[in-house]
Amino acid sequence: MNKVELVEFVKSIDKDLEIKEGKQYTEVTVPSSKLYSLAKQLREREEGKFDFLFCLSGVDYGQDLGVVYHLRSTIYNHVIVLKTRTSDREHPQLDSVADIWMTADFHEREVYDLLGIKFTNHPDLRRLFLDNSWGFPLRKDYVDDINIVTK
Amino acid sequence: MLLDIAANSISSLKEPWWKFIYDFSVLTEAIDKSLKGSMSPFWVTVTEMVIIGIVFLLFYAVIGLFLVYAERKVCAFIQNRLGPNRIGPYGIFQTIADLVKLLFKELIPIKNADNFLFNLAPYIVIIVNFMTIAAIPFGAGMLAIDFNIGIFYIMAVSSMSVVGVLLAGWSSNSKYSLIGAMRSGAQIVSYELSVGLALVTIVILAGSMQLSVIVESQRDGWFIFKGHISAVIAFVIYLIAGTAETNRGPFDLAEAESELTAGYHTEYSGIRFAFFYLAEYINMFVIASIAATLFLGGWMPFHVGNWEGFNRIMDFIPPIVWYFGKTFFVIWIMMLYKWTFPRLRIDQLLTLEWKYLLPINLVNVLIMALLVLMGWHF
Amino acid sequence: MEEQVKNPIVDEQEEYFINMGPQHPSTHGVLRLVVSLKGEIVKNVEPHIGYIHRGIEKMCESITYPQIIHLTDRMDYLSAHMNNEVVCLAVEKALEVEIPDRIKVIRTIMSELSRIQSHQLFWASYGMDMGGQTCFFYGLRDREMILDIFEETTGGRMIVSYNCPGGLMYDIHPNFQKRVKDFIKYFRKVLPEYDAILTGNVIFRERSLGIGTLSLEDAISFGVTGPSGRASGFSCDVRKHEPYSAYDRVKFNEVLYTEGDTYHRYLARVEEMRESMNIIDQLIDNIPEGPYAVKMKPVIKVPEGEYFQRVETARGELGMFLISDGNKNPYRVKFRSPNFSNLGVLNQITKDFKIADLVAIAGSLDFVIPDIDR
């Protein structure tokens, strides 16, 4: 599908979503409550068939914490980007998509480890690289006098 | 008094003295007679046993050193590099340097290990090897014990090495060692069968289990030529099963470095590790020498039927040179395919034995029996 | 710390677990695998990573774009050139800089040489893991020739740091073309030797045919790219789907098999070496003339926005997700590393095989641990 049809398809799933044309790919900003159902629809509907989650990145936007999902379809070869945010910095929670795309298992553990976002319904949410004596290093307000050298 | 004994034994030689190279029993009989002349029979026996024991210990050590060096050189040449070449000319003192290093290493005691068994295991493997070497003829008249059930004795005694391996793995109190020892135990016990049956094939051809008789009867041709098809099959099976017996070559998963970091002898250090290591090479030497004795003629030179002139030329080379030449040839073959093939998994290894080698072996025994009965051998 | 190690044993009576710890001859780096076994059968494999986590993504937020090149070198150090390329391509695409042909062709040739040397090391260490230790020496002997070529041109054998945004750091050495042509001629003669030692060997085939099969749906769902994914039939070669540098003007085949077992993952890499040599053959004779770098501003500031760039490294698809806010340091850099996704599939495909097969499977997936940990 080309970009126009893609926008139509996403609107047909849920017309309240904010869709933008980024420099490369179509970007959909979705509130965290609707993320899981949208992801499942994108995976399973015939026009979509987004079966390859090729990048799951956690981002600290300053005020909010968010996750960016890059999805591709191996059949139709189109790409869509899902973005979601949560403004709760103390106990951030998002839905896990690990049962839709198996690769999300490790990626979400990494996001939990480095940014602190907990994913509900994740099969095994533990820290991946670090242990509990570290905070969440990838956050913008992370302070570590010993290990980080600031000029 | 020792000088008297020496002078007596030399003067009692009937032939010119260098004939003992061709028939060692000349020398042994001479020493025996001169000892009997000066001591009571009991002390003669004791002295002879002590002399033989010392000779074998020295032999064991020298062969061990040489084999470790040879392995490293052969392995290096296959892998397109040089091997040890710094310590001594062409690196011949490398093994001695390694031995000295191992002697100085700390013997690390293992927590919660069964100390008695832990210390006993290396000695068992070495003692078993000694007992096996005692029965093999190195030259005409050059063997320690001449049983009339020589082959049976060898098979029985070499089976005891599995006890040493299992003890080592069990008493180390470590999961890795135990897995390695269990695998190794299963492997050795299975391949005993193939070794035994391959040797039985030759016993059928020779008609006797006594090793000196077997070697004598190869005077007009080695068994591998005499018992054509059947003996060649038995030789190949014996080589495969023999390397599996010694945990070498493609069958070395008991000590697979890339999987279990040294298997059943992981927890040994220093001189005890040196014993296991040495025992493996001597074991390989024993297997190769049995192969050489039974299939390739032992110390018998290469005779072809009725070619008198050719036979006399072959006779000129001393038997001990023949024996070591053949043994080292078989060892070289074993080293070649250790460094070429990947290793087999435990279940593939046991499948090979029970589903392929054993049936082929049984059929081969029947064929050999048929050959002997019908007189179709050379 | 209680959160760290979940008890991996499911059935207390029958199972026990062993630790293929961070230092192990077969795990190709510092990877800890907690394996729970029932006898010899593997029931569960749990990788513990983080031993070489250096915080590359966090570091990238405080350094400039040309400095990121030197960090990416050390992620998957066997495809160092391709790691550099992804950063350069992302920055050049964002700044909309036109890259001359000479740079594209040289980048492609160096990428393909990197791919060949990475697969040579895979072949060498895979043979050694299986027990044929001689393979290690043969593979490394030939790899030395490529490393010598790299050293002459870039100064570094494995960590090259040759790309920079805007082109290359220096021009190629005058001997480059001749040495590459000599190497290709030599290696084409030697590659059948590799086949003779391992590919046709019956012991090797017994140990890898039918072991660790990865189905196509699983490969896509777990995001397994590179030769491991292509051996299961997942057509994911970035060089074909989204050509970059000079890949749109060369003809080559994407190596695809459908069986997805260890043997075909191994075979895919050996075939890829041949394809890489074909690519180099098509390019080496006509390297166009031109500048070796485009003049860029001294301080590179990428305009605001989000950019995603993919390249095909020796192990799979490396992606760089760049969020920029207009400053000279990026706001957030995320590297989608191929080995990280490939690791997720290890537990799935090793279930109910033996522990010797675990070594074979982990070897065939060809991990480089610094890429997992970043």
Side-chain angles (χ1 to χ4, degrees), chain C residues 341-354:
Chain C
S341 312
N342 288 0
L343 184 62
V345 90
L346 183 64
N347 188 14
Q348 172 100 348
I349 59 178
T350 322
K351 272 206 170 24
D352 293 333
F353 283 106
K354 302 191 177 50

PDB file of all heavy atoms in Angstrom, chain C residues 341-354:
ATOM      1  N   SER C 341      18.443  -9.336  18.586  1.00  0.00           N
ATOM      2  CA  SER C 341      17.230 -10.040  18.197  1.00  0.00           C
ATOM      3  C   SER C 341      17.512 -11.520  17.971  1.00  0.00           C
ATOM      4  O   SER C 341      16.690 -12.375  18.296  1.00  0.00           O
ATOM      5  CB  SER C 341      16.657  -9.434  16.925  1.00  0.00           C
ATOM      6  OG  SER C 341      16.599  -8.051  17.039  1.00  0.00           O
ATOM      7  N   ASN C 342      18.694 -11.846  17.431  1.00  0.00           N
ATOM      8  CA  ASN C 342      19.009 -13.253  17.201  1.00  0.00           C
ATOM      9  C   ASN C 342      19.104 -14.025  18.498  1.00  0.00           C
ATOM     10  O   ASN C 342      18.822 -15.212  18.556  1.00  0.00           O
ATOM     11  CB  ASN C 342      20.339 -13.397  16.445  1.00  0.00           C
ATOM     12  CG  ASN C 342      20.225 -12.975  14.998  1.00  0.00           C
ATOM     13  OD1 ASN C 342      19.169 -12.573  14.556  1.00  0.00           O
ATOM     14  ND2 ASN C 342      21.316 -13.049  14.283  1.00  0.00           N
ATOM     15  N   LEU C 343      19.507 -13.339  19.588  1.00  0.00           N
ATOM     16  CA  LEU C 343      19.678 -14.060  20.845  1.00  0.00           C
ATOM     17  C   LEU C 343      18.351 -14.538  21.386  1.00  0.00           C
ATOM     18  O   LEU C 343      18.263 -15.570  22.053  1.00  0.00           O
ATOM     19  CB  LEU C 343      20.361 -13.146  21.867  1.00  0.00           C
ATOM     20  CG  LEU C 343      20.693 -13.771  23.204  1.00  0.00           C
ATOM     21  CD1 LEU C 343      21.660 -14.900  23.027  1.00  0.00           C
ATOM     22  CD2 LEU C 343      21.269 -12.749  24.138  1.00  0.00           C
ATOM     23  N   GLY C 344      17.266 -13.770  21.104  1.00  0.00           N
ATOM     24  CA  GLY C 344      15.983 -14.143  21.662  1.00  0.00           C
ATOM     25  C   GLY C 344      15.502 -15.499  21.210  1.00  0.00           C
ATOM     26  O   GLY C 344      14.690 -16.130  21.871  1.00  0.00           O
ATOM     27  N   VAL C 345      16.019 -15.958  20.091  1.00  0.00           N
ATOM     28  CA  VAL C 345      15.482 -17.179  19.511  1.00  0.00           C
ATOM     29  C   VAL C 345      16.219 -18.412  20.022  1.00  0.00           C
ATOM     30  O   VAL C 345      15.803 -19.542  19.778  1.00  0.00           O
ATOM     31  CB  VAL C 345      15.564 -17.051  17.969  1.00  0.00           C
ATOM     32  CG1 VAL C 345      16.867 -17.576  17.440  1.00  0.00           C
ATOM     33  CG2 VAL C 345      14.403 -17.719  17.311  1.00  0.00           C
ATOM     34  N   LEU C 346      17.293 -18.220  20.791  1.00  0.00           N
ATOM     35  CA  LEU C 346      18.122 -19.358  21.196  1.00  0.00           C
ATOM     36  C   LEU C 346      17.352 -20.343  22.055  1.00  0.00           C
ATOM     37  O   LEU C 346      17.455 -21.560  21.869  1.00  0.00           O
ATOM     38  CB  LEU C 346      19.351 -18.842  21.959  1.00  0.00           C
ATOM     39  CG  LEU C 346      20.366 -19.872  22.388  1.00  0.00           C
ATOM     40  CD1 LEU C 346      20.994 -20.540  21.202  1.00  0.00           C
ATOM     41  CD2 LEU C 346      21.444 -19.215  23.227  1.00  0.00           C
ATOM     42  N   ASN C 347      16.548 -19.823  23.001  1.00  0.00           N
ATOM     43  CA  ASN C 347      15.818 -20.726  23.877  1.00  0.00           C
ATOM     44  C   ASN C 347      14.834 -21.564  23.086  1.00  0.00           C
ATOM     45  O   ASN C 347      14.699 -22.767  23.296  1.00  0.00           O
ATOM     46  CB  ASN C 347      15.077 -19.896  24.923  1.00  0.00           C
ATOM     47  CG  ASN C 347      14.448 -20.757  25.977  1.00  0.00           C
ATOM     48  OD1 ASN C 347      14.756 -21.928  26.079  1.00  0.00           O
ATOM     49  ND2 ASN C 347      13.569 -20.186  26.754  1.00  0.00           N
ATOM     50  N   GLN C 348      14.164 -20.921  22.138  1.00  0.00           N
ATOM     51  CA  GLN C 348      13.119 -21.603  21.389  1.00  0.00           C
ATOM     52  C   GLN C 348      13.655 -22.760  20.577  1.00  0.00           C
ATOM     53  O   GLN C 348      13.066 -23.836  20.551  1.00  0.00           O
ATOM     54  CB  GLN C 348      12.476 -20.557  20.464  1.00  0.00           C
ATOM     55  CG  GLN C 348      11.504 -21.096  19.482  1.00  0.00           C
ATOM     56  CD  GLN C 348      10.122 -20.869  19.973  1.00  0.00           C
ATOM     57  OE1 GLN C 348       9.938 -20.514  21.124  1.00  0.00           O
ATOM     58  NE2 GLN C 348       9.156 -21.050  19.114  1.00  0.00           N
ATOM     59  N   ILE C 349      14.771 -22.552  19.903  1.00  0.00           N
ATOM     60  CA  ILE C 349      15.183 -23.599  18.980  1.00  0.00           C
ATOM     61  C   ILE C 349      16.058 -24.653  19.633  1.00  0.00           C
ATOM     62  O   ILE C 349      16.372 -25.660  19.017  1.00  0.00           O
ATOM     63  CB  ILE C 349      15.903 -23.044  17.726  1.00  0.00           C
ATOM     64  CG1 ILE C 349      17.142 -22.263  18.094  1.00  0.00           C
ATOM     65  CG2 ILE C 349      14.985 -22.194  16.943  1.00  0.00           C
ATOM     66  CD1 ILE C 349      17.858 -21.761  16.881  1.00  0.00           C
ATOM     67  N   THR C 350      16.469 -24.430  20.905  1.00  0.00           N
ATOM     68  CA  THR C 350      17.314 -25.447  21.520  1.00  0.00           C
ATOM     69  C   THR C 350      16.509 -26.416  22.371  1.00  0.00           C
ATOM     70  O   THR C 350      17.065 -27.355  22.912  1.00  0.00           O
ATOM     71  CB  THR C 350      18.372 -24.788  22.413  1.00  0.00           C
ATOM     72  OG1 THR C 350      18.808 -23.615  21.795  1.00  0.00           O
ATOM     73  CG2 THR C 350      19.546 -25.702  22.589  1.00  0.00           C
ATOM     74  N   LYS C 351      15.206 -26.186  22.510  1.00  0.00           N
ATOM     75  CA  LYS C 351      14.426 -27.064  23.374  1.00  0.00           C
ATOM     76  C   LYS C 351      14.494 -28.498  22.877  1.00  0.00           C
ATOM     77  O   LYS C 351      14.320 -28.768  21.706  1.00  0.00           O
ATOM     78  CB  LYS C 351      12.962 -26.628  23.363  1.00  0.00           C
ATOM     79  CG  LYS C 351      12.661 -25.592  24.387  1.00  0.00           C
ATOM     80  CD  LYS C 351      11.209 -25.638  24.786  1.00  0.00           C
ATOM     81  CE  LYS C 351      10.902 -24.774  25.981  1.00  0.00           C
ATOM     82  NZ  LYS C 351      11.751 -23.678  26.263  1.00  0.00           N
ATOM     83  N   ASP C 352      14.758 -29.411  23.799  1.00  0.00           N
ATOM     84  CA  ASP C 352      14.751 -30.847  23.527  1.00  0.00           C
ATOM     85  C   ASP C 352      15.874 -31.307  22.625  1.00  0.00           C
ATOM     86  O   ASP C 352      15.779 -32.366  22.018  1.00  0.00           O
ATOM     87  CB  ASP C 352      13.417 -31.300  22.923  1.00  0.00           C
ATOM     88  CG  ASP C 352      12.309 -31.176  23.923  1.00  0.00           C
ATOM     89  OD1 ASP C 352      12.613 -31.253  25.127  1.00  0.00           O
ATOM     90  OD2 ASP C 352      11.163 -30.996  23.513  1.00  0.00           O
ATOM     91  N   PHE C 353      16.938 -30.552  22.528  1.00  0.00           N
ATOM     92  CA  PHE C 353      18.146 -31.080  21.902  1.00  0.00           C
ATOM     93  C   PHE C 353      19.172 -31.306  22.990  1.00  0.00           C
ATOM     94  O   PHE C 353      18.980 -30.952  24.122  1.00  0.00           O
ATOM     95  CB  PHE C 353      18.690 -30.085  20.865  1.00  0.00           C
ATOM     96  CG  PHE C 353      17.913 -30.096  19.597  1.00  0.00           C
ATOM     97  CD1 PHE C 353      17.047 -29.084  19.281  1.00  0.00           C
ATOM     98  CD2 PHE C 353      18.049 -31.151  18.713  1.00  0.00           C
ATOM     99  CE1 PHE C 353      16.325 -29.108  18.120  1.00  0.00           C
ATOM    100  CE2 PHE C 353      17.333 -31.177  17.552  1.00  0.00           C
ATOM    101  CZ  PHE C 353      16.459 -30.151  17.255  1.00  0.00           C
ATOM    102  N   LYS C 354      20.316 -31.891  22.611  1.00  0.00           N
ATOM    103  CA  LYS C 354      21.295 -32.220  23.633  1.00  0.00           C
ATOM    104  C   LYS C 354      22.256 -31.073  23.837  1.00  0.00           C
ATOM    105  O   LYS C 354      22.302 -30.145  23.059  1.00  0.00           O
ATOM    106  CB  LYS C 354      22.063 -33.466  23.223  1.00  0.00           C
ATOM    107  CG  LYS C 354      21.122 -34.596  23.002  1.00  0.00           C
ATOM    108  CD  LYS C 354      21.864 -35.888  22.860  1.00  0.00           C
ATOM    109  CE  LYS C 354      20.880 -37.007  22.705  1.00  0.00           C
ATOM    110  NZ  LYS C 354      19.880 -36.743  21.684  1.00  0.00           N
TER     111      LYS C 354
END
